[in-house]
């Protein structure tokens, strides 16, 4: 063969070898979820790529078969060219070996793989049209080679998973995808998605309205007091109890009761006619599970009970929705805000405020794996009932107890602007 033809063949071998390197890197680097999306939309190249990636051993077999054959052929051809020009000179053969190695690295390996890593989707979809028929043609050889590969894997007790596209991602990995997609997902929607993931780890205890803050009606009270309470209440659904708060007998919708006013005065008997049976929720129920239960049972309000059957508080459908999309309701005009900002930058809050709400609104980092309220956190810290005027620091956030009453911390002054980096609870006098 003439020298110029051998040089042309050598260039072609290097180009074809570069194609296989392009294909290998692009197939392994392509975004699997983007590929699924394109395949569902009917993209032919995406469908071919999906089929190729379903059997990774066969795909890699045909790619490496072609790549190694071409590289070996290139080295052999260079040896022939050197022997023709320099009559089997050892030094010339060494220089030829170095030159062909350099050419393979630059033109057949490194450069194609860098390009493929930068544009994996474009190259993989185009390469699938070539690799699919090649795999069909060389399948017997690939199958024979893979016999030895599988034998070695069995020998070393390695069992690779079938199908790269069938791999699942964890919740934490999905969160990372949402965070990394900030350029494509609006910040508001990004926050909603992240909140949805947290519903499995948050329980009803984290968003409960404590029993001491629940507005309820006593059936044994005077009719005038019951009517006055219904006309001035700030909620649409109220628990009904008899004699004591522990004895909840029903839930009443205020609108239905007010409709009864056309027939006369509202009495305890009127409430008993329109109230529904209370819906109880076990303590520790995940919020996402409770959201589904509300939907299945067509309920909007539930009473949370502990393992002894004691009523702990109340949770509504709106409370769960607010955990996803943020607060959207406003306080009643007569209600005071749970957060009262002072001139010195401190904030006075009620002891029964939930820690999750404090973390979210004040940007503090109170631990959530123990007590659910600020009062519970302070009592756990002191292991006693503290007196008013005592200062302390929890999770690096200084605070001062303003009022204690009936063995409960009623109000606390928090200084979020003076937070320190130390996260260990330390009392400050």
């Amino acid at each position: 063969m003439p020298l110029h033809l051998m040089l042309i063949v050598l260039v072609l071998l290097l180009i074809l070898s570069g194609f296989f390197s392009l294909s290998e890197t692009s197939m392994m680097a392509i975004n699997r979820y983007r590929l699924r999306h394109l395949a569902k939309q009917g993209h032919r190249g995406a469908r071919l790529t999906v089929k190729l990636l379903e059997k990774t051993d066969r795909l890699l077999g045909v790619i490496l078969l072609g790549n190694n054959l071409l590289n070996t052929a290139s080295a052999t051809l260079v040896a022939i060219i050197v022997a023709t020009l320099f009559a089997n000179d050892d030094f010339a053969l060494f220089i030829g070996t170095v030159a062909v190695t350099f050419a393979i690295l630059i033109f057949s390996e490194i450069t194609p793989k860098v390009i493929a890593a930068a544009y994996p989707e474009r190259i993989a979809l185009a390469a699938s049209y070539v690799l699919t028929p090649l795999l069909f043609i060389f399948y017997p050889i690939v199958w024979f080679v893979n016999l030895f590969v599988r034998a070695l894997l069995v020998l070393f007790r390695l069992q690779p998973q079938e199908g790269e596209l069938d791999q699942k991602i964890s919740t934490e990995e999905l969160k990372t995808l949402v965070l990394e997609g900030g350029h494509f997902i609006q910040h508001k929607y990004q926050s909603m998605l992240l909140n949805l993931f947290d519903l499995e780890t948050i329980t009803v205890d984290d968003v409960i309205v404590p029993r001491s803050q629940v507005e309820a009606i006593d059936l044994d009270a005077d009719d005038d007091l019951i009517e006055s309470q219904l006309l001035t209440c700030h909620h649409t659904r109220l628990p009904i109890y008899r004699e004591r708060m522990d004895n909840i007998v029903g839930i009443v919708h205020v609108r239905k009761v007010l409709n009864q006013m056309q027939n006369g005065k509202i009495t305890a008997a009127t409430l008993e006619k329109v109230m529904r049976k209370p819906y109880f929720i076990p303590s520790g129920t995940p919020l996402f599970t409770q959201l589904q239960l509300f939907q299945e049972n067509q309920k909007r309000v539930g009473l949370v009970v502990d393992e002894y059957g004691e009523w702990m508080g109340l949770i509504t459908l709106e409370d769960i929705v607010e955990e996803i999309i943020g607060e959207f309701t406003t306080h009643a005009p007569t209600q005071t805000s749970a957060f009262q900002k002072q001139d010195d930058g401190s904030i006075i809050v009620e002891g029964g405020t939930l820690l999750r709400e404090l973390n979210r609104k004040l940007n503090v980092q109170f631990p959530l794996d123990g007590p659910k309220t600020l009062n519970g956190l302070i009592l756990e810290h002191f292991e006693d009932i503290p007196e008013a005027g005592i200062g302390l620091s929890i999770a690096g956030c200084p605070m001062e107890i303003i009022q204690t009453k009936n063995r409960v911390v009623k109000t606390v002054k928090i200084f979020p602007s003076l937070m320190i980096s130390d996260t260990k609870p330390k009392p400050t006098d």
Side-chain angles (χ1 to χ4, degrees):
M1 180 184 296
L3 180 61
H4 67 279
L5 288 179
M6 287 192 289
L7 292 175
I8 293 174
V9 171
L10 178 61
V11 172
L12 290 175
L13 291 176
L14 293 175
I15 292 174
L16 291 175
S17 178
F19 165 77
F20 283 106
S21 294
L22 274 172
S23 303
E24 178 187 5
T25 304
S26 62
M27 287 289 180
M28 297 299 106
I30 192 171
N31 187 312
R32 303 298 199 267
Y33 306 101
R34 167 71 176 168
L35 183 62
R36 285 175 186 251
H37 173 69
L38 292 174
K40 289 179 180 179
Q41 288 187 329
H43 194 290
R44 177 172 171 76
R47 289 181 176 179
L48 292 175
T49 306
V50 168
K51 290 181 179 180
L52 289 171
L53 287 171
E54 285 176 352
K55 297 293 183 179
T56 311
D57 56 341
R58 298 178 185 176
L59 174 63
L60 291 176
V62 71
I63 290 176
L64 295 177
L65 175 65
N67 195 31
N68 283 282
L69 279 175
L70 292 169
N71 288 340
T72 303
S74 299
T76 303
L77 187 58
V78 168
I80 295 174
I81 294 174
V82 170
T84 303
L85 293 177
F86 301 98
N88 296 323
D89 183 82
D90 292 338
F91 181 75
L93 186 60
F94 171 75
I95 295 299
T97 302
V98 172
V100 73
T101 302
F102 179 79
I104 290 174
L105 282 174
I106 298 300
F107 299 105
S108 299
E109 295 293 338
I110 298 177
T111 302
K113 289 183 177 181
V114 170
I115 296 173
Y119 307 98
E121 181 181 312
R122 188 183 306 176
I123 294 173
L125 298 184
S128 63
Y129 290 100
V130 179
L131 293 176
T132 299
L134 285 178
L135 181 59
F136 178 77
I137 295 171
F138 294 105
Y139 179 76
I141 301 175
V142 173
W143 175 83
F144 181 74
V145 172
N146 282 338
L147 285 180
F148 294 91
V149 174
R150 292 196 184 101
L152 286 174
L153 292 177
V154 171
L155 180 63
F156 290 107
R157 297 182 180 180
L158 299 175
Q159 296 295 329
Q161 294 182 352
E162 290 283 341
E164 288 290 329
L165 293 178
D166 293 333
Q167 291 184 356
K168 306 298 182 182
I169 63 175
S170 65
T171 303
E172 294 302 321
E173 291 170 334
L174 192 54
K175 285 183 181 180
T176 303
L177 287 176
V178 173
L179 290 171
E180 293 295 330
H183 297 292
F184 307 98
I185 305 175
Q186 294 184 18
H187 178 72
K188 179 180 179 181
Y189 301 145
Q190 192 179 59
S191 299
M192 291 171 61
L193 288 172
L194 294 175
N195 290 338
L196 273 174
F197 299 143
D198 289 336
L199 287 189
E200 281 293 347
T201 58
I202 303 173
T203 67
V204 293
D205 300 353
D206 294 309
V207 297
I208 189 176
V209 179
R211 187 173 72 173
S212 59
Q213 300 180 15
V214 174
E215 190 176 10
I217 296 178
D218 184 4
L219 281 179
D220 293 334
D222 294 336
D223 291 341
D224 291 338
L225 180 60
I226 291 176
E227 183 173 346
S228 174
Q229 193 171 357
L230 286 168
L231 293 174
T232 58
C233 68
H234 305 300
H235 305 88
T236 58
R237 292 171 176 82
L238 298 177
I240 307 297
Y241 67 94
R242 192 184 296 276
E243 295 182 358
R244 64 185 192 279
M245 285 283 285
D246 290 332
N247 186 24
I248 299 293
V249 295
I251 300 289
V252 67
H253 197 300
V254 176
R255 185 179 62 186
K256 292 183 179 180
V257 179
L258 296 179
N259 289 338
Q260 299 293 323
M261 293 183 65
Q262 300 176 356
N263 301 326
K265 189 175 182 180
I266 298 175
T267 63
T270 305
L271 292 181
E272 290 184 287
K273 289 180 181 179
V274 297
M275 71 181 184
R276 295 183 178 181
K277 291 182 179 180
Y279 173 59
F280 294 102
I281 302 168
S283 173
T285 303
L287 277 193
F288 186 75
T289 301
Q290 187 54 50
L291 182 62
Q292 293 176 310
L293 292 173
F294 272 145
Q295 184 179 28
E296 293 172 3
N297 295 289
Q298 297 183 345
K299 302 289 185 180
R300 298 177 66 92
V301 178
L303 304 175
V304 181
V305 295
D306 61 16
E307 57 183 320
Y308 303 106
E310 296 291 333
W311 176 38
M312 300 170 56
L314 176 147
I315 185 173
T316 67
L317 178 62
E318 287 78 7
D319 294 329
I320 301 179
V321 173
E322 286 186 352
E323 284 296 315
I324 302 174
I325 66 175
E327 293 189 7
F328 60 89
T329 57
T330 56
H331 293 287
T334 58
Q335 289 182 303
T336 58
S337 173
F339 299 84
Q340 300 178 21
K341 191 169 184 179
Q342 306 299 303
D343 295 336
D344 60 356
S346 63
I347 299 175
I348 295 179
V349 300
E350 297 178 1
T353 307
L354 293 172
L355 295 177
R356 281 185 55 81
E357 186 177 4
L358 288 171
N359 288 349
R360 183 169 58 246
K361 290 186 175 181
L362 303 185
N363 195 28
V364 292
Q365 300 295 327
F366 290 134
L368 302 176
D369 53 354
K372 305 302 180 182
T373 64
L374 181 59
N375 169 60
L377 185 66
I378 293 175
L379 295 183
E380 182 186 62
H381 174 74
F382 284 107
E383 298 181 355
D384 195 3
I385 309 297
E387 297 181 358
I390 293 180
L392 68 155
S393 176
I394 299 179
C397 182
M399 63 186 77
E400 178 185 351
I401 298 172
I402 302 299
Q403 180 186 13
T404 58
K405 184 179 180 181
N406 297 330
R407 303 185 301 276
V408 173
V409 177
K410 298 293 290 185
T411 54
V412 179
K413 180 183 288 188
I414 298 179
F415 301 87
S417 60
L418 302 179
M419 285 185 62
I420 56 178
S421 59
D422 186 8
T423 57
K424 294 183 179 179
K426 295 186 294 185
T428 58
D429 295 328

